[in-house]
Amino acid sequence: MPDPIRPRAALRTAVVWEVLQDALERRVKATGREALDVLDTGGGSGNFAVPVARLGHRVTVVDPSPNALFALERRTAEAGVADRVRGVQGDAHGLFDVVERGGYDAVLCHGVLEYVDDPAEGVRNTVAALRPDGVLSLLAAGLGGAVLARALAGHFKEARQALSDPDGRWGSGDPVPRRFTAEQLTGLVERAGLGVTAVHGVRVFADLVPGVLVDTEPGALDALLKLEEAAAELPAFHSVATQLHVLGEARGTEGA
């Protein structure tokens, strides 16, 4: 499970974490190495880097924000994994100015493609950072979730705008520069040379359920987590998920 100290945050990360943890375990078995080298692009303050380091892996976090990297340093120290996590300032465009090409068993690209100028280049760079048979964990904003959220809030014109906008934006005040469909994300991964082994919808229900219900109703959080996990793999729910997670692996590897 994700960070047990932050149970509410588990709604946002549980599905991704389960898939990622399984992928890392398979890479450990395949390589025969207990400690993998993991790159977390746009890793911020370590939401995934810290749990991955707790598994015993070495994690390099690349993020453009000095504040995020400072928070990462503090958080890794508190978690007792500072010796396994390294933070460097940089971005997906200039990735190989700060990290080694072809040097990682797994690359996390979470919440990055929404903000880069060229998503295809961003994916190509993350794939180029992988060792042969490496694993890519890609997480990005989903178009359908934003359309549904705007419609349920009564903003019907904005919902329709998001549907027709090339970048999936609902208007000039939209804080997210770009959103994707599952087909767009899997296409980016496949064109970069990887096979898609899993697609999951993330936060299918969590952002639509009133927080007060989850926080006050006994057992509601656990039940909602189980519901999210059950719906995540079903293609019917990918089109309404707030985020989409794609797992890419070199073709011909385990699970492909």
Side-chain angles (χ1 to χ4, degrees):
M1 287 296 294
D3 194 338
I5 301 173
R6 305 162 67 214
R8 193 74 168 82
L11 285 172
R12 298 177 177 272
T13 60
V15 169
V16 179
W17 176 243
E18 293 299 328
V19 175
L20 177 61
Q21 190 172 12
D22 178 66
L24 292 175
E25 288 174 359
R26 287 190 285 113
R27 291 311 304 148
V28 166
K29 291 178 182 177
T31 61
R33 290 184 282 112
E34 289 295 325
L36 302 175
D37 293 303
V38 179
L39 175 64
D40 188 355
T41 63
S45 60
N47 287 341
F48 281 90
V50 169
V52 169
R54 282 177 175 156
L55 296 177
H57 304 305
R58 297 176 292 269
V59 187
T60 299
V61 175
V62 176
D63 197 281
S65 168
N67 290 336
L69 293 174
F70 178 77
L72 171 70
E73 183 177 357
R74 184 175 64 249
R75 188 171 177 185
T76 55
E78 292 172 352
V81 295
D83 60 327
R84 293 196 291 274
V85 179
R86 178 175 71 103
V88 293
Q89 190 172 359
D91 56 31
H93 175 69
L95 189 60
F96 300 115
D97 293 336
V98 294
V99 301
E100 178 186 358
R101 187 182 294 267
Y104 298 90
D105 301 291
V107 175
L108 282 57
C109 183
H110 295 171
V112 173
L113 295 190
E114 298 93 323
Y115 300 96
V116 298
D117 292 333
D118 185 346
E121 180 196 36
V123 175
R124 288 195 300 269
N125 281 353
T126 60
V127 171
L130 287 170
R131 289 173 176 154
D133 298 338
V135 177
L136 171 65
S137 174
L138 182 65
L139 181 68
L143 171 62
V147 173
L148 185 61
R150 300 316 289 174
L152 290 178
H155 302 301
F156 306 122
K157 290 183 179 179
E158 292 180 351
R160 185 174 178 181
Q161 171 66 22
L163 272 177
S164 60
D165 185 80
D167 293 322
R169 289 170 54 82
W170 48 255
S172 60
D174 192 338
V176 179
R178 188 182 293 107
R179 294 184 179 87
F180 302 87
T181 64
E183 292 75 18
Q184 287 171 330
L185 288 178
T186 56
L188 287 172
V189 172
E190 289 172 341
R191 285 192 292 274
L194 298 184
V196 173
T197 59
V199 180
H200 291 84
V202 180
R203 291 155 59 190
V204 175
F205 308 103
D207 291 354
L208 305 177
V209 176
V212 64
L213 188 155
V214 177
D215 294 333
T216 60
E217 186 73 20
L221 177 61
D222 186 57
L224 182 53
L225 278 170
K226 287 182 169 58
L227 177 61
E228 288 279 355
E229 290 170 353
E233 291 189 63
L234 302 176
F237 291 99
H238 295 167
S239 60
V240 294
T242 299
Q243 292 178 306
L244 294 163
H245 182 246
V246 176
L247 191 71
E249 301 183 39
R251 300 177 191 277
T253 60
E254 295 176 84

